[in-house]
Amino acid sequence: MQEKKSTLAALSSAAMMLSGLAQPALANPPDQKTQIAYRFTNYSEGEMDAKDVAEGSLERYQIQVHQLSVKTPVSEDTEISLSVVNETMSGASPWYVVPNAEGEAVQVMSGATIDEARNELGMDFRSYNASSETTLSLSVSAENDYESLAFGYSGQWRTLQQRGTLSWGISGSRDFINATDADIYAGRPVEEIKNRLRGYLGYSIVMTRNRLFGMNIGVTSLDGYLSDAYKLAWVDNEIVRDNRPDVQNQVGGSLMLRQFFPEAQAALHTDIKLYQNDWEVTSESLDLAWYQNLGSKWQLVPSLRYYHQSAATFYEPFYENRRADGFYSSDYRLSEFSAVSARFKVIRQWNTVSVNLQYENYSASGDHPALLSYSAISLGVGTSF
Amino acid sequence: MLSLHKHSFKAMGSRCEIQFYASEAAASGIIHNAVARLEALEAKYTRYRPKSVTSQINRAAGGGEPVEVDSETAGLLNYAQVLFEQSDGLFDITSGILRRVWNFRSGKLPEAERLQQLLPRIGWQQVRWEAPYFYLPTVGMEIDFGGFVKEYAADQLVALLKAEGVEHGLVNLGGDIAVVGPHPDNAPWQVGIQHPRKQEQAIARIPMSRGAIATSGDYERFMLIDGERYCHLLNPRNGFSIRPQRISVTVIADQCLLAGSFASVAMLKSETDTNWLADSGVHYLQIDQNLSMDGNLVN
């Protein structure tokens, strides 16, 4: 009897392999459908602790984001996607750090509440054939003190009878920085430029019906104005502008494993990322997500992410002495810290409509008084026809 | 507004039919794509066209050069290998050359001498198969996907219909049936099982909402000689018509390919093992020589 059950298993497995191979389902061809998706996200940064703030508001940014995207086929093997993002933010932001009477670092927040808006327009053009695909991306983003133009060219090449996928991409951007109130605050940057060039290479392979493994390596080079236009640093009782090197080279790699558990109708997504730049910031992150299907209509996705980074070589919360190289930054994003982010997502699928709701709670810990915590809730609606 | 569309046509030597619910606007495109997919599969695997994959492989037999096959053909060859192993060699896609001596319209048994000449050219264990290279080592050896390509095609059409957004429908390729989903009101499709001894009559009706159903019987091609029934199911080892203890076997499985394989192997096995399907993990209905039915589908 055991033997006969194994006949079903053996034939099922051969048949599954066959249907998987025959349809280029792994290849995700243009589906000849029009898709419209909208997402609203409300970020709410946690209030600062009064003991960490020397001056200014305890409240930080509240950010509302509207994203709308439309994808539609152009021909049988091409599709175009257009996306619009509108972001409005208000609140105070960390300005500089000073030592208090006990010599502990305390934050000075920007005085006035800042109201800002950012709009972004993006376009992707994707072209597909049975064994490869390429995507050309262009985007422009504008806010009152910052404009950015970006391009990308990426592709995938499928090997090993569609089981392996080689991914590659190059992208670049040029940002134009024109700080507001430069006439009031001496030294605020105007007409500065920042360039970014990035390339990556990745490979993923379907190891078994239920297991996918992938790895990715990327390098990025930044040059131009890489400081924060609004941040300052305390140096031996003086306040100076945030001033960072004008070149940064980054290298990052990642490993991913997707394991599907047929009996549980669930999948575990594991991602490990390592990163280093030549300002000596290194970071490691581990991301675990459990995708649980409940019937064909519902999906629940709890996930947890751990992140740690080391500080930039020239970072200090405040400076007792001048530095020979003149680099100063007390930006919390360049300090050493650990962060944990917990997310929970619910997805409900109807015939052509899908709705998802996600909640995220992020909290960082380290020495900097302004390390961030936030909660974000977002609601997405999508339809295809 | 969804309405029921039926389209009948002939392909793979069988009467085929697809039925599905879709809007008027979408229906003709869906039918066109489904028929095109089936025709492409037929053109690729038929032995009647010189350019088919099957013909290329067979032409290369004994020539010293293996044939490089694509991923779909590799999948079918892998499947053939598993089928050969799991059936203890009874289901063998190299046994098709026996049709040269078995003519079921002639009313005559094959000449023993000619049959003996064919036997050395049969046997999957002789083939060289290391994906993507396939090679038949002896001139005159042949493979034939006819034993399961129609069932595979039915599964492919279901996948195609689903990809086109169809949720309610059914594919029937000469009695091999694969279901996309039940009627929009959730009512199952009623599938008739061919009466093994009365043409065009159903011996049972089975409600199907999902999965696939396939039947193998001794009535598909046979001849009666001196009251003895010789059916088209041949034993690849001795080249002779088997004497199945079952005259018809119907199997339900998730995929038509599986249902068809289990039905065929159960028929082949029934000469020596009348209950091969028991505890096999599939749903089945089998009919014996006295027309009595058993199996886990019978109530």
Side-chain angles (χ1 to χ4, degrees):
Chain A
M1 283 185 196
Q2 193 57 41
E3 197 186 315
K4 290 177 195 168
K5 288 262 191 210
S6 74
T7 299
L8 181 58
L11 286 173
S12 297
S13 149
M16 280 292 197
M17 221 34 219
L18 180 54
S19 51
L21 288 169
Q23 309 146 24
L26 307 166
N28 193 21
D31 54 13
Q32 296 291 302
K33 284 183 174 176
T34 295
Q35 284 179 9
I36 301 175
Y38 167 77
R39 169 170 294 278
F40 172 72
T41 306
N42 187 64
Y43 287 96
S44 179
E45 296 188 355
E47 215 173 73
M48 300 273 295
D49 200 332
K51 73 172 173 47
D52 291 330
V53 176
E55 207 181 311
S57 165
L58 298 183
E59 279 180 25
R60 299 180 70 167
Y61 275 139
Q62 304 291 317
I63 307 174
Q64 279 86 38
V65 187
H66 301 269
Q67 290 164 289
L68 180 69
S69 64
V70 178
K71 188 201 81 174
T72 191
V74 178
S75 66
E76 250 185 26
D77 51 10
T78 55
E79 62 186 23
I80 192 166
S81 309
L82 296 171
S83 61
V84 187
V85 178
N86 168 269
E87 217 173 77
T88 51
M89 51 197 116
S90 67
S93 68
W95 202 2
Y96 58 99
V97 178
V98 296
N100 66 8
E102 285 80 45
E104 289 164 349
V106 287
Q107 185 70 46
V108 177
M109 298 295 285
S110 63
T113 288
I114 301 159
D115 284 295
E116 283 187 59
R118 186 177 79 85
N119 290 299
E120 183 186 310
L121 190 65
M123 187 210 76
D124 282 357
F125 184 76
R126 180 163 168 253
S127 157
Y128 173 93
N129 69 40
S131 63
S132 68
E133 63 176 86
T134 54
T135 302
L136 177 70
S137 309
L138 297 171
S139 74
V140 52
S141 161
E143 49 200 303
N144 66 346
D145 56 351
Y146 207 102
E147 280 172 34
S148 177
L149 298 173
F151 82 94
Y153 190 58
S154 63
Q156 292 190 346
W157 185 54
R158 289 174 281 277
T159 60
L160 296 177
Q161 302 170 344
Q162 307 276 11
R163 288 194 305 126
T165 302
L166 182 74
S167 312
W168 54 268
I170 52 168
S171 62
S173 64
R174 170 163 284 195
D175 301 354
F176 303 90
I177 301 133
N178 270 301
T180 51
D181 297 335
D183 48 341
I184 304 172
Y185 298 95
R188 273 199 184 171
V190 290
E191 295 184 356
E192 291 285 359
I193 285 176
K194 171 178 165 181
N195 296 309
R196 178 183 62 85
L197 194 62
R198 174 174 163 73
Y200 72 88
L201 209 55
Y203 191 71
S204 68
I205 182 160
V206 179
M207 304 182 77
T208 69
R209 236 167 70 211
N210 299 321
R211 188 178 305 144
L212 177 76
F213 173 76
M215 55 200 150
N216 191 302
I217 188 158
V219 291
T220 305
S221 171
L222 303 175
D223 70 73
Y225 184 78
L226 307 182
S227 308
D228 188 302
Y230 300 100
K231 287 197 190 320
L232 304 172
W234 185 94
V235 183
D236 188 21
N237 277 314
E238 264 188 77
I239 301 296
V240 304
R241 304 217 61 76
D242 183 278
N243 183 36
R244 311 178 192 184
D246 55 9
V247 176
Q248 189 190 75
N249 294 301
Q250 311 174 347
V251 57
S254 63
L255 295 174
M256 67 135 170
L257 186 67
R258 308 275 176 268
Q259 175 75 43
F260 182 64
F261 301 95
E263 300 82 19
Q265 282 299 298
L268 179 65
H269 291 202
T270 308
D271 289 277
I272 295 172
K273 290 185 182 136
L274 300 172
Y275 163 93
Q276 182 162 36
N277 67 31
D278 55 9
W279 297 358
E280 293 185 16
V281 175
T282 61
S283 75
E284 315 86 46
S285 75
L286 171 67
D287 209 324
L288 295 171
W290 183 261
Y291 285 73
Q292 179 68 55
N293 290 321
L294 296 175
S296 58
K297 311 280 187 210
W298 291 89
Q299 191 178 52
L300 304 181
V301 189
S303 61
L304 200 61
R305 180 165 183 263
Y306 172 81
Y307 174 85
H308 171 264
Q309 75 168 44
S310 66
T313 171
F314 52 86
Y315 161 87
E316 296 279 353
F318 53 84
Y319 296 80
E320 304 276 6
N321 300 300
R322 294 206 155 262
R323 287 176 61 91
D325 57 13
F327 296 136
Y328 301 102
S329 180
S330 300
D331 188 339
Y332 65 92
R333 290 166 296 189
L334 295 182
S335 73
E336 176 172 10
F337 67 93
S338 305
V340 174
S341 159
R343 284 158 293 174
F344 191 77
K345 190 172 186 178
V346 182
I347 302 157
R348 171 72 162 93
Q349 183 78 43
W350 283 271
N351 260 357
T352 54
V353 177
S354 156
V355 174
N356 66 77
L357 185 67
Q358 176 171 293
Y359 176 78
E360 177 177 9
N361 192 298
Y362 171 97
S363 151
S365 60
D367 288 336
H368 197 288
L371 280 171
L372 191 61
S373 68
Y374 68 79
S375 62
I377 188 154
S378 82
L379 177 70
V381 186
T383 181
S384 64
F385 49 86
Chain B
M1 180 62 198
L2 297 182
S3 54
L4 179 60
H5 300 270
K6 293 186 192 184
H7 182 70
S8 300
F9 54 105
K10 216 167 171 294
M12 296 190 171
S14 303
R15 275 177 51 190
C16 303
E17 185 180 50
I18 53 177
Q19 296 190 41
F20 60 96
Y21 288 84
S23 67
E24 288 297 335
S28 62
I30 292 171
I31 289 170
H32 174 267
N33 291 348
V35 173
R37 175 76 177 120
L38 196 58
E39 284 172 353
L41 273 175
E42 179 168 18
K44 189 171 175 182
Y45 294 111
T46 179
R47 24 180 206 98
Y48 299 109
R49 295 191 205 180
K51 283 189 177 170
S52 74
V53 171
T54 308
S55 297
Q56 286 175 42
I57 288 173
N58 292 342
R59 257 201 314 277
E65 283 289 311
V67 177
E68 182 175 356
V69 301
D70 70 348
S71 57
E72 184 177 42
T73 309
L76 287 170
L77 289 168
N78 283 335
Y79 190 80
Q81 164 133 2
V82 175
L83 207 44
F84 175 79
E85 289 161 359
Q86 296 296 327
S87 66
D88 300 317
L90 282 175
F91 198 114
D92 188 334
I93 67 166
T94 67
S95 66
I97 53 172
L98 287 170
R99 75 180 162 270
R100 294 182 197 162
V101 294
W102 280 93
N103 180 350
F104 290 95
R105 291 202 189 104
S106 68
K108 284 185 205 151
L109 289 176
E111 290 169 33
E113 196 181 333
R114 288 192 63 206
L115 189 59
Q116 287 306 317
Q117 284 167 354
L118 286 181
L119 290 181
R121 288 186 243 155
I122 295 170
W124 176 267
Q125 69 282 358
Q126 300 180 51
V127 310
R128 291 222 305 270
W129 171 223
E130 255 180 76
Y133 299 104
F134 185 81
Y135 181 59
L136 294 167
T138 313
V139 176
M141 264 189 102
E142 282 184 13
I143 58 163
D144 181 358
F145 291 108
F148 57 76
V149 77
K150 191 154 55 76
E151 290 89 333
Y152 168 67
D155 292 329
Q156 288 290 301
L157 289 197
V158 165
L160 180 142
L161 289 172
K162 284 181 177 169
E164 300 268 4
V166 172
E167 293 179 9
H168 313 285
L170 155 147
V171 172
N172 179 353
L173 304 187
D176 293 324
I177 291 165
V179 177
V180 181
H183 292 277
D185 63 359
N186 263 336
W189 301 90
Q190 296 296 332
V191 173
I193 306 299
Q194 170 67 44
H195 193 297
R197 294 290 177 260
K198 293 181 187 163
Q199 275 189 19
E200 307 288 314
Q201 265 194 44
I203 195 166
R205 293 203 171 271
I206 294 180
M208 294 283 294
S209 290
R210 54 176 293 279
I213 185 165
T215 299
S216 178
D218 69 353
Y219 51 84
E220 291 166 38
R221 280 194 310 283
F222 66 94
M223 55 191 173
L224 288 166
I225 301 175
D226 299 335
E228 195 76 53
R229 189 181 181 94
Y230 295 88
C231 78
H232 74 294
L233 296 160
L234 305 174
N235 183 333
R237 292 190 206 117
N238 59 22
F240 227 76
S241 175
I242 62 156
R243 291 155 193 262
Q245 297 302 303
R246 302 292 180 175
I247 64 175
S248 155
V249 175
T250 296
V251 173
I252 293 180
D254 285 346
Q255 286 166 283
C256 199
L257 185 57
L258 293 179
S261 300
F262 271 91
S264 302
V265 175
M267 281 296 290
L268 289 162
K269 284 267 184 187
S270 77
E271 186 172 32
T272 52
D273 181 354
T274 55
N275 230 5
W276 183 76
L277 283 171
D279 299 308
S280 63
V282 296
H283 293 288
Y284 64 99
L285 177 156
Q286 45 196 8
I287 301 171
D288 69 12
Q289 305 283 0
N290 307 319
L291 290 180
S292 71
M293 289 188 261
D294 74 273
N296 54 14
L297 272 175
V298 186
N299 300 318

